[in-house]
Amino acid sequence: VLDQNYRSTQRILDAANAVIANNAARKPKHLWTEQVGGELLTRYQAEDEHDEANFVASEITRLTDSEGLRFGDIAVFYRTNAQSRVVEEALVRGNLPYRVFGGVKFYDRREIKDALAYLRALVNPDDEVSWKRIVNTPRRGVGDTSVAKIDSYAHGAGLTFREAARDAALAGVSGKALGGLRDLLELVDEVTDAAKGGVAPALEAVLERSGYLAELEAERSVEAAGRLENLQELVGSARGFDEQVESGELNGLVAIGGVGVGDETPTVPEGLDRVQAFLEAISLVTDLDDADPDASSVTLMTLHAAKGLEFPVVFLIGLEDGVFPHIRSLGDPDELEEERRLCYV
């Protein structure tokens, strides 16, 4: 029986043993080490994910300021990639350098960029890059040839890409592509209307009405499920932004974007102005997180990516039913045992 552990302290092994003891389908063994004792594990019961992320950021500041630890000595583990967003924002707000190991930073993920491109196109008809990104995402029959025709017509007539798309027939676009462009322009008008209710309703309208969610759901793959989780997280982020703007609470993205800060009588941005404020806050997150890749930085990663690695200090976040253990495992005893094994490791 391989039961001796060579790098963890006994306190860590005791915690791991207590977790795995609940699994019925395993041969009993009790890990032990010659490294007796060790520091106690710290448990923090947070109010919500923002409180949790703020605790992590404040502890990292304390550890690096007072305990002599480097940023590179510290890691944050989570069950799913979508969980990185709130932690990333807390670290950016605290000016703490980080890197996402074995993955992409939240706002750099493809599906997030696609969704935000819709919002950017909405608030800025001149944003050619965003319009070209969304014109056939998801696929609506508008190929490169049609895009080139609209592009050429726009430059020749001194129009924005959006205005030229409205004159697509004059630009020489026909057939399925012409219908696809009409659908897109109708969608943009609908989303502009939805934005009167806030950023979250606008984002939900984009994802539902465009067919983006339906296309991912139809894939039925693990990767598509992860992308759907990321998009749900983005909608949650937008909903939180709406709530904080309306209540005047300066937290999360609202604080990063400085919405209402410095105004003697802060105005609550509405409609497309609020969408613009949301996008500006996100652009600040993506600008601020471009730290020197060679500098010491906090590591963020999923539990699966963390196997085999070690750090002097580790935060394990999201320990709650439906997050870790994952919601897909809650009704299946075998899957629940697999979640325990993951936590144990």
Side-chain angles (χ1 to χ4, degrees), residues 131-324:
W131 274 96
K132 286 179 179 175
R133 186 176 185 112
I134 68 169
V135 75
N136 202 37
T137 305
R139 288 184 291 276
R140 52 175 67 88
V142 186
D144 292 344
T145 306
S146 298
V147 170
K149 285 178 180 176
I150 295 166
D151 216 9
S152 173
Y153 180 76
H155 288 146
L159 301 172
T160 66
F161 191 89
R162 180 178 179 171
E163 288 166 340
R166 291 195 187 281
D167 292 341
L170 291 174
V173 178
S174 59
K176 190 177 179 184
L178 188 60
L181 283 166
R182 283 179 183 147
D183 286 346
L184 175 62
L185 291 167
E186 274 177 32
L187 167 64
V188 167
D189 289 340
E190 282 179 30
V191 175
T192 303
D193 200 47
K196 292 171 186 171
V199 184
L203 201 49
E204 286 172 321
V206 162
L207 297 172
E208 287 287 347
R209 174 74 177 74
S210 68
Y212 200 102
L213 290 182
E215 190 172 90
L216 282 175
E217 283 161 1
E219 269 188 48
R220 296 188 178 281
S221 67
V222 173
E223 187 181 327
R227 288 187 167 162
L228 284 165
E229 282 182 349
N230 285 334
L231 288 169
Q232 286 165 359
E233 181 65 24
L234 182 65
V235 171
S237 164
R239 194 170 291 118
F241 186 85
D242 285 333
E243 289 167 1
Q244 287 165 3
V245 165
E246 283 162 18
S247 68
E249 181 190 339
L250 298 179
N251 205 337
L253 284 173
V254 176
I256 291 169
V259 181
V261 174
D263 297 340
E264 285 183 24
T265 52
T267 54
V268 176
E270 300 290 351
L272 294 184
D273 287 342
R274 186 183 298 182
V275 175
Q276 179 66 37
F278 178 72
L279 291 170
E280 284 172 5
I282 285 170
S283 71
L284 282 169
V285 173
T286 51
D287 289 346
L288 290 168
D289 69 17
D290 279 336
D292 177 359
D294 298 323
S296 178
S297 54
V298 177
T299 301
L300 273 55
M301 67 172 91
T302 63
L303 286 143
H304 287 98
K307 287 180 181 178
L309 302 177
E310 58 181 311
F311 297 87
V313 177
V314 168
F315 294 89
L316 182 51
I317 65 169
L319 290 172
E320 58 183 90
D321 281 353
V323 181
F324 187 35

Side-chain angles (χ1 to χ4, degrees), residues 17 20-31 337 341 344:
N17 285 325
I20 205 67
N22 293 294
N23 273 12
R26 74 183 287 267
K27 296 198 184 302
K29 70 172 180 291
H30 193 81
L31 296 186
E337 293 216 349
R341 277 193 288 276
Y344 167 75

Side-chain angles (χ1 to χ4, degrees), residues 18-75:
V19 168
I20 205 67
N22 293 294
N23 273 12
R26 74 183 287 267
K27 296 198 184 302
K29 70 172 180 291
H30 193 81
L31 296 186
W32 62 278
T33 179
E34 290 176 351
Q35 298 182 64
V36 179
E39 282 189 59
L40 285 167
L41 278 68
T42 300
R43 183 176 70 102
Y44 178 73
Q45 186 168 343
E47 291 290 321
D48 55 25
E49 70 271 30
H50 298 288
D51 183 26
E52 178 178 60
N54 290 337
F55 169 77
V56 169
S58 64
E59 276 295 285
I60 289 171
T61 301
R62 184 186 66 78
L63 290 163
T64 51
D65 285 353
S66 311
E67 304 285 327
L69 285 156
R70 297 164 57 254
F71 290 118
D73 294 331
I74 301 168

